[in-house]
Amino acid sequence: MIQLTVIDRQGQTNELQLVEDEDVNLMETLKNHDYEMRATCGGLALCADCHCLILKGQEQLAEPQDDELMTLESRPDAQNNSRLACQLRVNQGLQGILLQLTNYSN
Ligand code: FES
């Protein structure tokens, strides 16, 4: 099991336990756990609706690919610890991370 902590858009903090699955991304998983997730692009790293900040454990995650970096650059509120949840796999890299969902940019 993978255990992580999520702060939602209302500032509520919850711990989640996830079953590892490389075929699933974190955006879909959060949606399945009833997190409000607009995800206009459907997980293609285009809309940045799934923008989140990694407050703890950023170094554990796989490096972002170019398409993720390009989309993050379009967000005025992007920070050094910004990631797109749709580009994160549900694997051990998520173990123990603290993640905060951000408000939609438009
Ligand atoms: S769902 Fe669109 S960028 Fe992640």
Side-chain angles (χ1 to χ4, degrees):
M1 292 294 267
I2 300 163
Q3 192 159 339
L4 67 153
T5 306
V6 177
I7 305 172
D8 70 16
R9 295 186 177 89
Q10 285 73 45
Q12 187 99 19
T13 302
N14 283 303
E15 290 202 352
L16 290 183
Q17 288 200 330
L18 306 177
V19 177
E20 185 170 357
D21 188 345
E22 284 282 348
D23 294 331
V24 177
N25 69 56
L26 184 60
M27 177 276 286
E28 291 168 342
T29 301
L30 292 175
K31 215 172 178 176
N32 290 339
H33 281 78
D34 294 329
Y35 281 87
E36 196 269 318
M37 190 68 72
R38 192 170 61 182
T40 311
C41 77
L44 297 176
L46 295 173
C47 67
D49 287 348
C50 65
H51 177 226
C52 57
L53 301 175
I54 309 298
L55 304 180
K56 184 182 149 202
Q58 185 183 8
E59 69 285 352
Q60 301 169 201
L61 303 176
E63 290 291 315
Q65 301 295 304
D66 288 348
D67 49 355
E68 180 177 359
L69 290 172
M70 274 172 47
T71 297
L72 284 172
E73 280 174 17
S74 72
R75 292 248 345 185
D77 59 344
Q79 300 179 32
N80 288 340
N81 59 344
S82 288
R83 293 301 299 259
L84 297 176
C86 70
Q87 300 304 300
L88 297 173
R89 297 284 129 191
V90 178
N91 60 25
Q92 287 297 324
L94 299 179
Q95 189 68 262
I97 69 163
L98 171 60
L99 171 156
Q100 181 176 24
L101 295 173
T102 64
N103 290 322
Y104 300 125
S105 60
N106 53 39

